[in-house]
Amino acid sequence: MISDNGIPGDVVPPGRMAGSEQPVLALPGGLQLRPWHLDDADTLLTAAQDPAIRRWNRLAVDSREDALARIERMHARWRAETFAVWAVAAPGGPAVGLCAWGDIDLRAGSAEIVYWLLPEARGGGIAAEATRRVSEWALDDLGLHRLRLCHSVANPASCRVAEKAGYTYEGTLRSALLHADGWHDQHLHARVAGDTA
Ligand SMILES: CC(C)(COP(=O)(O)OP(=O)(O)OC[C@H]1O[C@@H](n2cnc3c(N)ncnc32)[C@H](O)[C@@H]1OP(=O)(O)O)[C@@H](O)C(=O)NCCC(=O)NCCS
């Protein structure tokens, strides 16, 4: 990681994502994390109508065309090595949630997680399992060093997901994200390579 001039080089060399297919990752209970398909456009549109997803994820998808464009963009962003977005689904089944790395910085070795589940998939601990699985992928397979998880202080379910997935609480970011009802403080949690989850 330290180059000849004494300055740290890229934590992950460019091309590691773009040069490979996005993997399918198994979850407990027979679910899996798989890339989004264009067939999932209606699910994405439905998710954007859910009040909790609109509120906490600020997901704005206004039409089927918009949903299709977003799914295309997920694949473009994998190739650009800036996002890695999975659908939570049973094999061959429709998406019931999303789990993603955003703000991927291969050079710095960091990324930030995003997740949501449709209402019918909530209450069974799936988000923590998905977070745990994509974290293993990000640290062990991709080679990132530090993973962030941020959530509004008014979203205790997300705080619990962080704790269950091995993300240590590091502090509170003041007035960090603008929601429909104003600015919210956010908890910053992180998992670093070598942490025991
Ligand atoms: C947050 C979310 C992904 C969690 O989904 P999930 O995997 O089904 O999570 P669960 O319902 O199993 O709950 C996780 C934990 O939070 C706890 N929890 C849920 N609602 C809670 C609440 N209002 N207050 C306190 N704890 C709560 C649960 O009891 C559970 O803890 P436990 O496992 O110790 O019993 C899901 O609720 C969701 O999609 N919400 C809407 C969008 C959202 O909040 N996205 C995250 C943005 S940061």
Side-chain angles (χ1 to χ4, degrees), residues 10-12 22 29 32 36 38 46 48 69 75-76 82 84 88 93 96 101 109 111 113 120 130 148 153 160 162 193:
D10 297 346
V11 175
V12 177
Q22 186 179 357
Q32 58 180 203
W36 283 77
L38 292 177
T46 301
H75 293 278
T82 53
V88 180
V96 297
W101 291 114
I113 199 158
E120 59 269 26
R148 295 187 305 280
V153 295
R160 194 66 196 117

Side-chain angles (χ1 to χ4, degrees), residues 56-76:
W56 297 123
N57 295 93
R58 309 188 314 165
L59 178 64
V61 181
D62 298 324
S63 65
R64 193 159 191 281
E65 291 63 41
D66 195 5
L68 287 167
R70 273 178 177 264
I71 293 169
E72 302 262 19
R73 213 153 54 231
M74 292 175 191
H75 293 278

Side-chain angles (χ1 to χ4, degrees), residues 11-37:
V11 175
V12 177
R16 199 173 278 178
M17 288 173 66
S20 63
E21 291 290 314
Q22 186 179 357
V24 174
L25 306 172
L27 291 177
L31 290 172
Q32 58 180 203
L33 293 157
R34 57 144 173 91
W36 283 77
H37 306 147

Side-chain angles (χ1 to χ4, degrees), residues 52 56-57 115-117 122-127 155-158 160 164:
W56 297 123
N57 295 93
Y115 46 73
W116 51 256
L117 294 173
R122 292 177 199 156
I126 295 172
N155 190 350
S158 199
R160 194 66 196 117
K164 291 205 298 180

Side-chain angles (χ1 to χ4, degrees), residues 50-57 113-119 121-129 149-152 155-161 164 186:
D50 175 68
I53 295 173
R54 284 184 80 86
R55 178 171 193 211
W56 297 123
N57 295 93
I113 199 158
V114 179
Y115 46 73
W116 51 256
L117 294 173
L118 292 175
R122 292 177 199 156
I126 295 172
E129 294 292 357
L149 188 163
C150 296
H151 65 83
S152 164
N155 190 350
S158 199
C159 197
R160 194 66 196 117
V161 169
K164 291 205 298 180
Q186 283 193 311

